[in-house]
Amino acid sequence: LSAPTRRGGRTRKAGGAVLGGGRWSLVSHLVDASADDTSRTLARANQLLDRYGLVSREIAAAESIPGGFGPLYKVLSALEEAGRVRRGYFIEGLSGAQFARPGTIDRIRDAQPGEEIIGDMPPIDRLPAVDPANPWGSVLPWPETGGAQGSRPKRIPGAWLLLHQGQPVLYLGPKGRQLTTFPSGLATDDVRAAAFAALQDLPRLARRGTLIIEKIDGGPVADSPYLAQLLDAGFVNDYRGVAAEAFA
């Protein structure tokens, strides 16, 4: 992590003490060795309910829970019998056995999608692809993209996901050169305009300097049906594709 230094005509690498720097804490005392497996599973179930609001097989897989969903299912079923959680099919796209607390179910029912307009455009949310707030690619499968089957989005550092009402509309690769579209989310002109406007402003948010998109859905930008809308959003033609400058 430290630059090499020269001494006596020889280059010396950084020592182990430098690489071991930072703040470290022992956590072994936080583990209760007397707790049995049922108590641990109950604690995990409550933690997942607090974290996600709803627990299903996909949640357990995304969290790499030891033992998988089976032990959690038994504990959650017991909580259901005690009236502390409810079982049902609340979220489309997840497996049938879904558990949530009664208050969470009420919030899910109240969260019906609506066309909220801020200014002249629908709101677009921007998240790093690896953000825990992004369920796509972990809890939920990626929607169909506008590119070939091999060009699937990935939850990797540096990639960004743009969403409208929770639905993916655009995915920008980690170096900003590859843009992937989700046609189902870009169904209307106003959403497309808002999505590309938010994309044009992304360099300022990400502090990435100049954003140059070379390919869209695996093909050259010049051949993309979205080229005109990118230019309308503020992108400019570049010999490599289209570019958006950051001014901050």
Side-chain angles (χ1 to χ4, degrees), residues 159-183:
W160 284 80
L161 183 65
L162 281 69
L163 308 102
H164 172 241
Q165 295 184 346
Q167 296 294 322
V169 291
L170 297 173
Y171 170 90
L172 186 67
K175 295 184 178 180
R177 300 172 184 169
Q178 305 273 350
L179 180 67
T180 300
T181 66
F182 300 92

Side-chain angles (χ1 to χ4, degrees), residues 13 22 24 26 31-32 49 82 88 91 94 123 126 128 133 149 156 177 180-181 183 191 196 212 219 227 230 232:
K13 296 182 179 179
W24 296 77
L26 289 173
V31 178
D32 185 1
L49 288 168
I91 302 296
L94 298 181
R126 295 168 291 194
Q149 290 294 328
I156 51 179
R177 300 172 184 169
T180 300
T181 66
V191 172
F196 290 125
I212 300 177
L227 175 60
L230 282 166
D232 290 342

Side-chain angles (χ1 to χ4, degrees), residues 46-72:
N46 282 313
Q47 183 183 53
L48 293 178
L49 288 168
D50 290 339
R51 180 176 299 167
Y52 291 94
L54 179 147
V55 179
S56 67
R57 185 178 302 276
E58 291 80 3
I59 300 293
E63 290 278 341
S64 300
I65 298 297
F69 186 59
L72 284 173

Side-chain angles (χ1 to χ4, degrees), residues 75-166:
V75 169
L76 290 167
S77 297
L79 292 176
E80 180 193 15
E81 294 178 0
R84 296 173 58 183
V85 301
R86 294 178 184 172
R87 179 184 354 204
Y89 188 68
F90 308 114
I91 302 296
E92 183 179 355
L94 298 181
S95 58
Q98 302 175 18
F99 297 86
R101 295 191 176 104
T104 301
I105 297 172
D106 293 337
R107 293 181 63 186
I108 292 174
R109 289 171 175 164
D110 291 340
Q112 298 299 322
E115 193 62 25
E116 178 189 2
I117 303 294
I118 300 177
D120 298 328
M121 293 185 178
I124 300 295
D125 296 312
R126 295 168 291 194
L127 287 175
V130 296
D131 195 308
N134 168 33
W136 301 97
S138 60
V139 177
L140 298 174
W142 292 106
E144 289 297 320
T145 65
Q149 290 294 328
S151 60
R152 304 296 295 175
K154 297 179 181 178
R155 295 175 62 96
I156 51 179
W160 284 80
L161 183 65
L162 281 69
L163 308 102
H164 172 241
Q165 295 184 346

